[in-house]
Amino acid sequence: MVGRMLIRYNYVPSDEYIISDILNLKVRGEALAPCDLDVVKEIDSHDLYGGGKKPIDIFSICAEDPERDRCAHLLTTPPPPSSISENGDIGAWKAFIHHPEPVADRRLGNLRVGSKNTFLYDNDDGGSNSNLDKLYGWFMTEYTTLLPPTVPSLNYVLCRIERFEYPDVGGGGEGEEEEDDEEEEERLMELDKEAVKIAADAAAIRVPAPAA
């Protein structure tokens, strides 16, 4: 008997597809395509921005396969600008790129269709003992659409949450004393450098090659 192998793919849509084919439909109150509806979850804004849940909790809810997927996509309402970094006592989303980047759709003659902001999660939770918090770092790309003012629309953003594994930069072994504040700061700076490189590599992979 010949068995069947389930073919699985990673759902990583392009920036232009996210805005033109998913977010624009959502803000206009139209139905999403079945392939998008199955994997793009909708969550409460407080859970994402207000400290209701950590990224690992959101990822476990929104990713198709939390054990294997690199990223998850979700729809939510945008928070007030002043609250984006105020994520309670469990950590905060910090701006990774301080100015929105324009997103153009090549299918529409490179017309600008929206913008994106990138954030890095700063896990400052006052001494969490979760190994997952120490193992993974998190990026979030927040997409907003650019519809004409005459088009009635709902207030939504689409966010892609991506996880990466922190490299081993020489943490202390069993029985060693805790690092002092200066050593900890140096270690975190090293992790930030690695995070920037990982984000740049991931962005390069996501950008499709120009059409011939």
Side-chain angles (χ1 to χ4, degrees):
M1 180 177 180
V2 179
R4 292 185 177 180
M5 181 177 68
L6 178 63
I7 298 176
R8 184 179 179 278
Y9 68 95
N10 287 320
Y11 180 84
V12 189
S14 65
D15 293 345
E16 60 191 41
Y17 184 90
I18 283 177
I19 292 180
S20 295
D21 297 83
I22 303 177
L23 188 54
N24 277 354
L25 293 179
K26 184 64 179 180
V27 299
R28 291 199 301 258
E30 300 177 15
L32 302 184
C35 63
D36 300 320
L37 190 61
D38 288 342
V39 293
V40 180
K41 313 299 183 189
E42 186 168 342
I43 69 167
D44 186 88
S45 176
H46 174 73
D47 287 341
L48 179 61
Y49 297 109
K53 295 183 185 299
K54 292 184 179 182
I56 185 64
D57 301 322
I58 296 172
F59 193 81
S60 298
I61 296 171
C62 296
E64 278 195 289
D65 186 345
E67 295 295 326
R68 299 172 59 187
D69 287 348
R70 179 173 59 85
C71 61
H73 298 79
L74 55 98
L75 285 159
T76 190
T77 53
S82 60
S83 68
I84 184 66
S85 297
E86 302 300 326
N87 204 7
D89 297 325
I90 65 173
W93 290 107
K94 303 292 187 181
F96 184 68
I97 297 175
H98 292 277
H99 300 285
E101 298 178 87
V103 175
D105 193 331
R106 292 174 299 172
R107 300 168 298 177
L108 303 175
N110 285 323
L111 175 70
R112 181 178 177 181
V113 292
S115 60
K116 64 180 182 178
N117 288 285
T118 305
F119 300 90
L120 176 66
Y121 190 73
D122 181 8
N123 186 26
D124 182 14
D125 60 359
S128 168
N129 59 4
S130 169
N131 289 329
L132 288 175
D133 291 335
K134 299 176 178 63
L135 178 61
Y136 292 121
W138 303 92
F139 283 106
M140 178 174 71
T141 306
E142 179 192 73
Y143 295 89
T144 57
T145 186
L146 186 64
L147 289 176
T150 54
V151 177
S153 61
L154 304 172
N155 195 22
Y156 275 96
V157 295
L158 192 149
C159 297
R160 171 191 281 145
I161 294 181
E162 299 179 68
R163 69 178 178 184
F164 61 90
E165 189 170 344
Y166 277 126
D168 183 3
V169 293
E174 186 176 351
E176 294 184 3
E177 295 183 358
E178 278 189 27
E179 298 173 331
D180 58 26
D181 291 342
E182 184 176 346
E183 290 174 338
E184 179 68 10
E185 184 176 351
E186 291 177 358
R187 188 178 73 86
L188 292 176
M189 288 176 64
E190 190 66 28
L191 290 177
D192 285 343
K193 291 178 183 177
E194 291 290 340
V196 170
K197 182 178 183 303
I198 292 170
D201 292 343
I205 293 172
R206 282 202 307 270
V207 176

